[in-house]
Amino acid sequence: MQNDILKILVTEKEIEETTERIAAEIDRDYAGKSEHLVLLGILKGSVPFLAELMKKIKSNPEIELMKVSSYGKGTRSSGSVKIILDWQRENIEECDIIVVEDIIDSGRTLSYLCEYLKQKGAKSVRTCTLLDKPSRREVEFEPDYCGIQVPDEFVVGFGLDYDEMYRALPYIGVLKPEVYTK
Ligand code: IMP
Ligand code: MG
């Protein structure tokens, strides 16, 4: 698996430092100010980031998960967002939600989800992403909490996959081009 990686883009240490910084920003904004702070992780890519982030946040967050799909097979986005596993809560109107994502690419997934959660009656909705590829935006979208900006390259590891592979790598890397063309 490691042989398929061309170069490491974000090391384990950088991921750790970034997560610490974001957790501190979230604590600064929410400590003592929210009855129900909910980290809403988007399956499956956000799982490692969510797990690290929740341990570092001191303002006692609650955890929820949703599953959406925006990507088809490979490295191309399908352009449409589909909810596969929905959020189920009675008290959504009491919840300050922070949607937790692995990466923002076109911006479609998060802009769709923010609208969806507001329509469902959430008290507030913010977004948090480990990685951001601003050069790829198709819809205008700025995350509230942003980890590391990456260039327009397809990245894998720490939750991010290529056809369901490489999610378990502890760092974020770029795949060798021949892996796509196999
Ligand atoms: P968006 O809706 O185009 O912003 O896409 C966001 C989703 O696309 C992410 O949650 C990822 O699942 C996927 N994605 C975008 N870029 C990459 C990448 O470089 N590697 C792996 N998955 C990616
Ligand atoms: Mg994803």
Side-chain angles (χ1 to χ4, degrees), residues 70-71 101-103 105-109 133 154-155 160-161:
S70 64
Y71 255 69
E101 255 288 33
D102 49 3
I103 190 165
D105 187 58
S106 69
R108 286 185 196 281
T109 304
K133 272 193 221 171
F154 196 77
V155 294
L160 292 137
D161 73 307

Side-chain angles (χ1 to χ4, degrees), residues 5 19 29 129 137 146 160 163 177:
I5 303 297
T19 310
D29 294 348
T129 187
R137 283 297 190 286
C146 186
L160 292 137
D163 285 350

Side-chain angles (χ1 to χ4, degrees), residues 39-77:
L39 299 182
L40 174 58
I42 305 306
L43 293 169
K44 301 173 221 172
S46 76
V47 167
F49 178 43
L50 177 68
E52 288 307 308
L53 192 64
M54 64 194 272
K55 286 189 282 183
K56 293 182 165 71
I57 292 176
K58 299 188 186 83
S59 1
N60 208 12
E62 299 168 26
I63 304 298
E64 293 286 346
L65 296 163
M66 272 182 86
K67 186 171 183 186
V68 302
S69 80
S70 64
Y71 255 69
K73 208 171 140 57
T75 63
R76 289 263 139 228
S77 169

Side-chain angles (χ1 to χ4, degrees), residues 5-113:
I5 303 297
L6 180 69
K7 62 177 178 205
I8 295 179
L9 212 58
V10 188
T11 63
E12 285 187 69
K13 185 160 179 283
E14 286 172 306
I15 294 173
E16 163 104 34
E17 287 167 358
T18 302
T19 310
E20 254 160 37
R21 186 213 355 125
I22 293 178
E25 288 173 13
I26 291 174
D27 279 330
R28 177 200 65 200
D29 294 348
Y30 290 90
K33 293 179 195 149
S34 178
E35 288 290 303
H36 295 278
L37 171 61
V38 178
L39 299 182
L40 174 58
I42 305 306
L43 293 169
K44 301 173 221 172
S46 76
V47 167
F49 178 43
L50 177 68
E52 288 307 308
L53 192 64
M54 64 194 272
K55 286 189 282 183
K56 293 182 165 71
I57 292 176
K58 299 188 186 83
S59 1
N60 208 12
E62 299 168 26
I63 304 298
E64 293 286 346
L65 296 163
M66 272 182 86
K67 186 171 183 186
V68 302
S69 80
S70 64
Y71 255 69
K73 208 171 140 57
T75 63
R76 289 263 139 228
S77 169
S78 65
S80 64
V81 181
K82 199 165 118 200
I83 293 177
I84 294 168
L85 178 73
D86 201 356
W87 146 293
Q88 300 292 351
R89 269 244 186 172
E90 305 265 293
N91 69 337
I92 190 163
E93 68 289 342
E94 296 169 8
C95 294
D96 294 299
I97 301 171
I98 302 178
V99 184
V100 179
E101 255 288 33
D102 49 3
I103 190 165
I104 306 179
D105 187 58
S106 69
R108 286 185 196 281
T109 304
L110 280 184
S111 57
Y112 175 86
L113 274 178

Side-chain angles (χ1 to χ4, degrees), residues 45 74 102 154-157 159-167 175:
D102 49 3
F154 196 77
V155 294
V156 295
L160 292 137
D161 73 307
Y162 170 65
D163 285 350
E164 295 303 325
M165 289 181 296
Y166 312 105
R167 288 195 201 274
L175 277 182

